[in-house]
Amino acid sequence: NNFAERGLRPTAILRKISFGSQSDRGMEIREVLMTFLYTARVRGCDPEETLEKALNLLCLNPDADVGTFLGLPQRTINAQKQVVAQTA
C-alpha cells in the first residue's frame, strides 16, 4: 500500500499546485492521462515516448486499443471503456 501511495504522491502534489481541474471533463482527462503516464513509467517505458507512440497509433486508427498497447489486462481495458462511455 505504501508503494502505491508513494506513486500517487507526485500526481497529488501537481494537482494541488496547479489548483486542480476547472471542470469535470478536465478532471477526467487528467485522470486518464496521469494513469497512462504512470503505467508506462511503472512498466519501464519512457512515458513521453510511449504517449507519442500511442497518439500516433490513434491518429492512424482511432478505434485502436491503447490499453493493449501498454500491455494492460483485458478487464482493465473494459473498465476504462465503460468510464469513457459514461462520460461521453
Side-chain angles (χ1 to χ4, degrees), residues 57-72:
L57 175 68
L58 289 171
C59 284
L60 296 172
N61 179 7
D63 296 325
D65 196 339
V66 178
T68 302
F69 175 75
L70 282 174
L72 297 176

Side-chain angles (χ1 to χ4, degrees), residues 35-47 50-51 70:
T35 299
F36 183 92
L37 296 173
Y38 179 74
T39 300
R41 189 178 76 216
V42 168
R43 292 183 178 267
C45 302
D46 175 21
T50 305
L51 180 60
L70 282 174

